[in-house]
C-alpha cells in the first residue's frame, strides 16, 4: 500500500519533469545548432580570404566557443533546464543565424562578391568593437541619456495634454486645434531652428525627442480619456465619488492601456528623431557615431554601431512592454511585442 | 450646497443598522433630445414605495424604466416632478442609493477587494471600513476570490462582486437595473434566491427593473407594470405570497397570467 502511494507521489512530483527533459533529448536540434556554428567557424578560418582581414582567427574561435557552449548546454540540460529550454526553442533560429553569418563571410571575405571596403566581413565588425569599444560605449550612454530625458519629458507633457484635452472641454477647445495643426509636423523639420534657438545641442536634441514623443502620447491619451465607458463614472458617482476621484481613480487607470499604445508609437518616432538629431547637430551618441564612421570610411564601425542600435532599441522597447505588463494587470494592452 | 448637505446626512444613513427608506415619485416626466426631436420617456409617473418594500418594475423594452432608475439614483435630474427619499428631494447621487447595473461594470484594473472597497474609498473612509469590505465579499460567497481580477471571474461571480460593492455602503435603497439579465438561467435562479435572502437580512428598500415576469413575481412584494414609451403606470399590484416562494405555486402562475395580459401577451398563455 505504502509502496503504491510512494510511486504515485513520485510520478506527479518528480518523474514528469525528468520525462519531459528526456523526450527533449530525443530531439537533437541544439546539436544541429552547435554543428552549424562549428561549420561556420571552419568556413571563417580555413577558406582563404581574398585580402588581408584582421581578427579572422579570433572570429573563428568565437564561433567555435559558441558552438561548444551550445553543446555543453545540450549535455548538461538536466542542470541547465531553464537555459536549455530557451536555447532549444530557438535552435533553428541559431542555425539560421550561423548560415546568414557564413553567407556574409563568404560573400565579403572569401569570394569578394561584395565590394570592399564598403561591406567588410563579420571580423571587420569584431575588429571595430575591440578597437573602439570605449567610444562606442560613450555613444550608447549619450544616446540613452538623451532618449530617456526626451521621451520622459515628452511623455509627461503628452499625457498631461491628452488628459486635460479629453477631460475638460474648455481645455480641449484650445489644445485640439494646436494638436491638429502642429502634431503632424515631423520633429526633424524643426532641427534647423532648434539647433540655434536652444542654448546647448543637448537641450535642443532633448526638445526634439520630446516633441516627437509628445504628439502620439497626447493623441492616444486624449482618445483614451474620451472613450472611457460612461458607466464607470456612473458607478463611482452613485458610490459617492467626487470629480477628483473620477479623474484620478477612474479616468486615468482606464486610460493607461491607450497611454502605452501611444508610448509604443512615440518610441519609434523618438528614436528616429534622436538619431537624425545626433547626426546633424548634437555631436554625440550613436547617430553621431554613424556619421563619424562614415566620414572616416570605417565601415566595420558603421555596421557595428547599427547592430548595437538594433539590440539597444529593441531592448528599450522590450523594457516598455515589461513595464506595461507590470502596470496593466487585468487590462488588455492592445499592441503585441 | 444641497449636495454637501446630502453628503453630511449620508454618514448617518450609513451608520444606522440599515433600514429601508421610503421613496415618493411624484408626477415625474422626463424626455431626451434626440437630434432635435424630443423623445418622451416618462409621462407623469407617480407612485410611493414604503420602507423595506421590494418593488419590481415591469414593462416593454425601451419604455423608460431604466431612465426612472437613473433619476432615483440621482444621476440625472427629472424634467418635471420630484423624487423624494424619506421626504427629502433627490438632488444628486448618494451612496445610500446604490445601483447594480445589468453589466457588473467592475474596474478591470482593481482586484475584487478593491472593487468592493470603491464606495468607502470614494467617500474617504476606507480605513475604518476594511472589515465591512471583507464582510460584504463573504456575504456574496467570494471570500476566496478577494485577490482575483475581474477577468478571472465568471459572469455570475462578477455580478456578485457588483452586489457586494453596493451592499458595503449599507444602502437604504438598492436599485437593481436588470442585474441578472445577462446571466445563464441556472445562475439566475440561484442568484434570485440570494437576492431575496440579502433583502430579508438587510431590510433595504429594493427597486428592481426586469424583463422577466417570473423573476419579478418570485422576488418582489409588489409589481408595477409600465406601458410603452412614454412610460405610464398600467398596473400596480401586491404579490401576496410569503417567502421562500416556490416557482410552481399556482398563485404565481395566476399572477404571471395577469402580468402577461397587462403586457399585451395574453395570447401566449
Amino acid at each position: 500500500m505504502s509502496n503504491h502511494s510512494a510511486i504515485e507521489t513520485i510520478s506527479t512530483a518528480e518523474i514528469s519533469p525528468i520525462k519531459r527533459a528526456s523526450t527533449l533529448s530525443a530531439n537533437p536540434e541544439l546539436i544541429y545548432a552547435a554543428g552549424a556554428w562549428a561549420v561556420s567557424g571552419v568556413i571563417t578560418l580555413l577558406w582563404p580570404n581574398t585580402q588581408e582581414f584582421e581578427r579572422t582567427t579570433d572570429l573563428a574561435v568565437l564561433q567555435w566557443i559558441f558552438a561548444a557552449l551550445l553543446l555543453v548546454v545540450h549535455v548538461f540540460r538536466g542542470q541547465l533546464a531553464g537555459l536549455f529550454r530557451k536555447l532549444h526553442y530557438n535552435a533553428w533560429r541559431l542555425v539560421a543565424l550561423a548560415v546568414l553569418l557564413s553567407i556574409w563571410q563568404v560573400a565579403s571575405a572569401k569570394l569578394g562578391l561584395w565590394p570592399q571596403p564598403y561591406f567588410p566581413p563579420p571580423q571587420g565588425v569584431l575588429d571595430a568593437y575591440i578597437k573602439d569599444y570605449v567610444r562606442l560605449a560613450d555613444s550608447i550612454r549619450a544616446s540613452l541619456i538623451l532618449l530617456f530625458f526626451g521621451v520622459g519629458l515628452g511623455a509627461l507633457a503628452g499625457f498631461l495634454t491628452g488628459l486635460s484635452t479629453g477631460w475638460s472641454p474648455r481645455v480641449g477647445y484650445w489644445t485640439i486645434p494646436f494638436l491638429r495643426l502642429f502634431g503632424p509636423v515631423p520633429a526633424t523639420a524643426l532641427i534647423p531652428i532648434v539647433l540655434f534657438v536652444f542654448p546647448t545641442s543637448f537641450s535642443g536634441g532633448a526638445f526634439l525627442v520630446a516633441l516627437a514623443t509628445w504628439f502620439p502620447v497626447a493623441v492616444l491619451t486624449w482618445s483614451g480619456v474620451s472613450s472611457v465607458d460612461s458607466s464607470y463614472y456612473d458607478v463611482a458617482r452613485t458610490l459617492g465619488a467626487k470629480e477628483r476621484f473620477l479623474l484620478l481613480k477612474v479616468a486615468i487607470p482606464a486610460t493607461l492601456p491607450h497611454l502605452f499604445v501611444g508610448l509604443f508609437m512615440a518610441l519609434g518616432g523618438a528614436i528616429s528623431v534622436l538619431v537624425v538629431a545626433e547626426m546633424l547637430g548634437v555631436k554625440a551618441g550613436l547617430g553621431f557615431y554613424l556619421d563619424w564612421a562614415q566620414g572616416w570610411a570605417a565601415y566595420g564601425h558603421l555596421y557595428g554601431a547599427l547592430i548595437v542600435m538594433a539590440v539597444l532599441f529593441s531592448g528599450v522597447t522590450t523594457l516598455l512592454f515589461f513595464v506595461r505588463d507590470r502596470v496593466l494587470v487585468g487590462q488588455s494592452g492592445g499592441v503585441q511585442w | 450646497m444641497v449636495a454637501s448637505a446630502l453628503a453630511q446626512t449620508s454618514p448617518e444613513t450609513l451608520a444606522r443598522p440599515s433600514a429601508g427608506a421610503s421613496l415618493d415619485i411624484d408626477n415625474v416626466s422626463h424626455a431626451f433630445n434626440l437630434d432635435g426631436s424630443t423623445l418622451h420617456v416618462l409621462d407623469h409617473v407617480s407612485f410611493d414605495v414604503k420602507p423595506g418594500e421590494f418593488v419590481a418594475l415591469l414593462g416593454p423594452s425601451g419604455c423608460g424604466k431604466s431612465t426612472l432608475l437613473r433619476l432615483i439614483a440621482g444621476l440625472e435630474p427629472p424634467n418635471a416632478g420630484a423624487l423624494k427619499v424619506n421626504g427629502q428631494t433627490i438632488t444628486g447621487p448618494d451612496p445610500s442609493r446604490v445601483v447594480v447595473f445589468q453589466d457588473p461594470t467592475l474596474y478591470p484594473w482593481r482586484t475584487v477587494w478593491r472593487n468592493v472597497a470603491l464606495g468607502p474609498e470614494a467617500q474617504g473612509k476606507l480605513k475604518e471600513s476594511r472589515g465591512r469590505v471583507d464582510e460584504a465579499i463573504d456575504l456574496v460567497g467570494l471570500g476566496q476570490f478577494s485577490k482575483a481580477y475581474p477577468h478571472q471571474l465568471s459572469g455570475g461571480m462578477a455580478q456578485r462582486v457588483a452586489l457586494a460593492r453596493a451592499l458595503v455602503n449599507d444602502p437604504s435603497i438598492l436599485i437593481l437595473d436588470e442585474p441578472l439579465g445577462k446571466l445563464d438561467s441556472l445562475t439566475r435562479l440561484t442568484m434570485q434566491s440570494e437576492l431575496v435572502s440579502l433583502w430579508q437580512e438587510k431590510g433595504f428598500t429594493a427597486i428592481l427593473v426586469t424583463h422577466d415576469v417570473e423573476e419579478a413575481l418570485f422576488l418582489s412584494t409588489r409589481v408595477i407594470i409600465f406601458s410603452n414609451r412614454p412610460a405610464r403606470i398600467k398596473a400596480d399590484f401586491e404579490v401576496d405570497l410569503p417567502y421562500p416562494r416556490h416557482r410552481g405555486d399556482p398563485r404565481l402562475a395566476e399572477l404571471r397570467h395577469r402580468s402577461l395580459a397587462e403586457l399585451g401577451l395574453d395570447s401566449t398563455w
Side-chain angles (χ1 to χ4, degrees):
Chain A
M1 289 301 272
S2 62
N3 212 352
H4 177 72
S5 68
I7 286 170
E8 266 188 353
T9 343
I10 289 173
S11 73
T12 49
E14 282 169 61
I15 289 185
S16 49
I18 293 169
K19 226 183 186 176
R20 204 186 303 153
S22 65
T23 47
L24 282 177
S25 76
N27 306 328
E29 275 93 347
L30 218 48
I31 300 180
Y32 299 155
W37 279 86
V39 170
S40 75
V42 170
I43 291 173
T44 303
L45 189 65
L46 298 187
W47 191 331
N49 291 335
T50 51
Q51 62 182 82
E52 168 80 27
F53 287 111
E54 280 182 82
R55 309 280 177 197
T56 300
T57 316
D58 296 343
L59 180 67
V61 170
L62 281 180
Q63 284 169 302
W64 285 333
I65 290 175
F66 188 62
L69 286 176
L70 291 179
L71 265 186
V72 167
V73 172
H74 179 82
V75 172
F76 293 100
R77 61 190 169 280
Q79 290 87 329
L80 304 167
L83 185 62
F84 173 76
R85 236 167 258 140
K86 243 175 227 157
L87 286 175
H88 185 266
Y89 176 76
N90 287 301
W92 292 112
R93 291 170 173 165
L94 291 172
V95 171
L97 200 58
V99 170
L100 286 175
L101 203 62
S102 291
I103 291 174
W104 177 10
Q105 178 68 253
V106 169
S108 53
K110 310 303 180 189
L111 296 179
L113 291 177
W114 294 352
Q116 298 304 323
Y118 305 107
F119 300 100
Q123 50 269 46
V125 173
L126 181 65
D127 187 44
Y129 285 151
I130 292 170
K131 282 187 181 143
D132 211 23
Y133 68 92
V134 175
R135 194 202 306 264
L136 204 51
D138 281 346
S139 301
I140 292 171
R141 193 170 54 228
S143 281
L144 281 182
I145 290 173
L146 191 56
L147 185 67
F148 280 115
F149 203 73
V151 167
L153 275 181
L156 187 68
F159 179 68
L160 292 177
T161 309
L163 193 65
S164 51
T165 304
W167 186 252
S168 153
R170 218 185 298 167
V171 175
Y173 180 83
W174 294 107
T175 50
I176 289 171
F178 188 77
L179 271 170
R180 286 207 181 125
L181 188 63
F182 295 108
V185 175
T188 42
L190 299 178
I191 289 180
I193 304 172
V194 164
L195 288 180
F196 72 77
V197 166
F198 276 79
T200 62
S201 59
F202 178 83
S203 60
F207 172 77
L208 289 169
V209 173
L211 188 67
T213 312
W214 167 78
F215 178 58
V217 170
V219 169
L220 266 292
T221 307
W222 166 29
S223 62
V225 174
S226 326
S227 68
V228 175
D229 193 344
S230 66
S231 57
Y232 282 175
Y233 297 128
D234 285 347
V235 164
R237 284 175 61 208
T238 61
L239 295 174
K242 299 283 175 284
E243 194 84 348
R244 195 182 133 84
F245 187 90
L246 294 182
L247 176 66
L248 296 180
K249 300 291 182 98
V250 184
I252 289 178
T255 304
L256 283 183
H258 288 84
L259 170 70
F260 277 101
V261 175
L263 276 175
F264 172 70
M265 288 165 57
L267 195 57
I271 287 169
S272 134
V273 171
L274 170 84
V275 172
V276 175
E278 284 172 345
M279 282 177 167
L280 293 185
V282 178
K283 304 295 173 205
L286 286 167
F288 175 64
Y289 189 93
L290 286 182
D291 196 45
W292 169 86
Q294 203 258 345
W296 286 96
Y299 292 97
H301 295 66
L302 189 70
Y303 295 112
L306 282 174
I307 293 169
V308 166
M309 277 179 152
V311 174
L312 192 68
F313 296 139
S314 164
V316 170
T317 312
T318 304
L319 180 72
L320 175 67
F321 278 79
F322 178 82
V323 172
R324 184 196 71 172
D325 293 343
R326 288 294 168 288
V327 174
L328 297 188
V329 203
Q331 281 168 290
S332 59
V335 180
Q336 197 73 33
W337 176 253
Chain B
M1 319 130 277
V2 188
S4 63
L6 270 178
Q8 276 162 14
T9 59
S10 59
E12 293 157 33
T13 49
L14 275 167
R16 73 177 175 203
S18 80
S22 69
L23 174 69
D24 301 339
I25 293 171
D26 187 14
N27 225 359
V28 166
S29 297
H30 200 69
F32 291 112
N33 252 328
L34 212 67
D35 300 326
S37 65
T38 313
L39 186 70
H40 294 278
V41 282
L42 294 171
D43 185 18
H44 299 284
V45 174
S46 290
F47 61 91
D48 293 347
V49 179
K50 290 192 281 292
E53 255 189 310
F54 198 133
V55 179
L57 310 180
L58 269 176
S61 187
C63 79
K65 307 176 301 278
S66 293
T67 305
L68 183 58
L69 291 195
R70 287 182 68 82
L71 301 183
I72 298 172
L75 289 169
E76 286 173 52
N79 290 158
L83 299 100
K84 290 176 185 169
V85 172
N86 287 340
Q88 283 196 318
T89 306
I90 295 172
T91 54
D94 188 274
S96 64
R97 282 171 275 120
V98 190
V99 193
V100 178
F101 296 95
Q102 184 176 22
D103 287 307
T105 49
L106 304 177
Y107 294 167
W109 58 88
R110 283 176 170 239
T111 59
V112 165
W113 197 93
R114 298 204 56 224
N115 265 291
V116 174
L118 200 63
E121 191 183 330
Q123 299 151 38
K125 45 181 145 190
L126 182 56
K127 266 194 187 142
E128 58 267 36
S129 309
R130 292 186 170 274
R132 300 170 50 107
V133 174
D134 292 330
E135 271 170 43
I137 295 171
D138 285 337
L139 194 65
V140 296
L142 290 175
Q144 292 178 313
F145 291 88
S146 27
K147 284 184 184 144
Y149 282 92
H151 70 96
Q152 298 166 309
L153 305 176
S154 70
M157 287 156 81
Q159 199 54 278
R160 281 196 182 93
V161 176
L163 206 55
R165 180 180 63 188
L167 293 174
V168 78
N169 302 287
D170 239 332
S172 54
I173 299 183
L174 185 64
I175 302 163
L176 301 156
D177 190 359
E178 294 182 58
L180 312 179
K182 284 193 173 167
L183 303 180
D184 65 273
S185 53
L186 287 178
T187 310
R188 188 181 330 173
L189 297 190
T190 319
M191 285 193 67
Q192 285 173 359
S193 305
E194 289 175 11
L195 267 179
V196 168
S197 27
L198 285 173
W199 166 71
Q200 288 183 315
E201 188 185 327
K202 298 275 177 184
F204 49 75
T205 305
I207 314 282
L208 167 77
V209 157
T210 176
H211 287 123
D212 185 338
V213 176
E214 196 201 298
E215 181 171 288
L217 296 169
F218 185 75
L219 291 175
S220 61
T221 56
R222 179 179 163 199
V223 174
I224 298 177
I225 296 179
F226 285 94
S227 68
N228 262 320
R229 198 183 48 237
R232 248 173 267 200
I233 293 177
K234 258 177 116 178
D236 182 344
F237 57 86
E238 307 273 322
V239 183
D240 45 357
L241 282 170
Y243 298 90
R245 291 174 178 169
H246 303 280
R247 295 178 197 278
D249 194 318
R251 176 68 183 142
L252 272 189
E254 211 176 288
L255 288 171
R256 195 152 168 242
H257 184 189
R258 179 179 166 189
S259 307
L260 288 172
E262 294 284 0
L263 289 164
L265 294 164
D266 203 16
S267 57
T268 62
W269 190 253

